[in-house]
Amino acid sequence: MIYCMSDLHGERALFEQMLERIRFSDGDRLYIIGDVIDRGPDGVDLLERIMEAPNMTLLLGNHEQMCLSTLGPRSELGARELWRQNGGMVTFRTLRYRRTPLERSRILRFLSGLPDHLSLTVNGRSFHLVHGFPGPDRHARIWGRVEPDSVRPCPDALCIVGHTPTVFLTGRMDEDLSIWHGDGIFDIDCGCGNLNAPHRRLACLRLDDLAEFYVGGTGAGEQT
């Protein structure tokens, strides 16, 4: 089976719960469309977990890019402050003080090689995976956002995005977040990393049949 998640934001406990829920095995494949790190406490642990798994593929998110822009060989002016404002200091401290220079270099090399979009076909259905929104360049693809009235971005494929918590598309502040279905686009960012938000959940979409799985939130996880 082929699965897709997004925006784990350091919540390893929810990630492990989801793997148990979907009964993830060596014969399955998981695509994570960015933002594994920051905000929650275990982003670097999650990165290393994904790096070691031959059947997990990570796409670049804006938080991984902020990490590279701060700690990578081509550090950018103002990058650390932008990263700090977006919850990056937990990752910064872990990489700087709790990993050796060799371990840190290995993680940064891994991040620098991540794709920022991916197209694939599952059971005859075409998908386009991207963290933010399809666009002409990397910045657009990792920072762009879906809007409630976004027109189908990929004429021949179902586009799967993260980055924008679905509450901003639905306006439903008082219920557990769920995957948003738009015009040829699914947003699967259900708020992980917003640690004070009781309705945040981790969502997982099974691409074989578009079944949805959830962990976290105020109610029991369900499959649809």
Side-chain angles (χ1 to χ4, degrees):
M1 295 293 182
I2 312 297
Y3 297 94
C4 189
M5 300 184 206
S6 184
D7 295 85
L8 305 176
H9 280 303
E11 295 214 55
R12 182 166 183 171
L14 288 181
F15 179 67
E16 298 295 347
Q17 288 175 36
M18 181 61 80
L19 294 183
E20 292 181 10
R21 177 159 179 72
I22 64 177
R23 299 179 182 178
F24 190 71
S25 70
D26 291 343
D28 298 322
R29 175 155 289 278
L30 172 63
Y31 294 93
I32 303 169
I33 56 175
D35 284 9
V36 165
I37 56 174
D38 299 346
R39 298 181 180 153
D42 300 319
V44 176
D45 290 341
L46 276 168
L47 269 181
E48 292 171 326
R49 169 90 159 82
I50 294 162
M51 290 169 64
E52 294 166 0
N55 57 344
M56 295 184 188
T57 298
L58 177 62
L59 274 64
L60 185 76
N62 61 304
H63 283 259
E64 285 80 29
Q65 183 59 59
M66 285 188 285
C67 176
L68 281 171
S69 297
T70 302
L71 295 175
R74 299 174 182 171
S75 59
E76 300 173 10
L77 183 65
R80 180 173 173 178
E81 177 59 20
L82 177 64
W83 196 22
R84 184 194 67 78
Q85 293 173 2
N86 284 276
M89 286 303 96
V90 62
T91 305
F92 176 86
R93 288 190 293 269
T94 300
L95 288 173
R96 180 60 64 88
Y97 304 117
R98 298 180 183 174
R99 294 298 186 272
T100 67
L102 184 61
E103 290 168 335
R104 183 168 61 250
S105 176
R106 177 173 172 263
I107 289 169
L108 293 172
R109 283 199 308 271
F110 172 75
L111 295 181
S112 68
L114 294 180
D116 61 31
H117 65 288
L118 184 68
S119 295
L120 67 157
T121 301
V122 181
N123 286 347
R125 182 185 282 118
S126 297
F127 294 92
H128 184 77
L129 311 182
V130 62
H131 177 66
F133 200 76
D137 53 46
R138 171 178 285 198
H139 185 272
R141 290 189 286 269
I142 66 173
W143 285 99
R145 291 192 183 276
V146 63
E147 300 288 346
D149 58 353
S150 290
V151 177
R152 187 182 188 101
C154 302
D156 301 317
L158 180 60
C159 186
I160 312 296
V161 304
H163 186 49
T164 301
T166 59
V167 66
F168 295 115
L169 301 172
T170 66
R172 299 170 187 159
M173 307 289 292
D174 58 351
E175 61 184 54
D176 290 347
L177 277 66
S178 59
I179 292 172
W180 179 81
H181 298 226
D183 180 12
I185 186 165
F186 284 7
D187 182 354
I188 63 172
D189 178 0
C190 289
C192 273
N194 297 306
L195 302 181
N196 295 320
H199 294 295
R200 76 184 189 281
R201 295 198 289 183
L202 175 61
C204 178
L205 182 67
R206 189 166 64 201
L207 301 187
D208 306 78
D209 56 6
L210 301 184
E212 301 174 15
F213 303 85
Y214 301 91
V215 294
T218 60
E222 73 267 15
Q223 172 186 353
T224 62

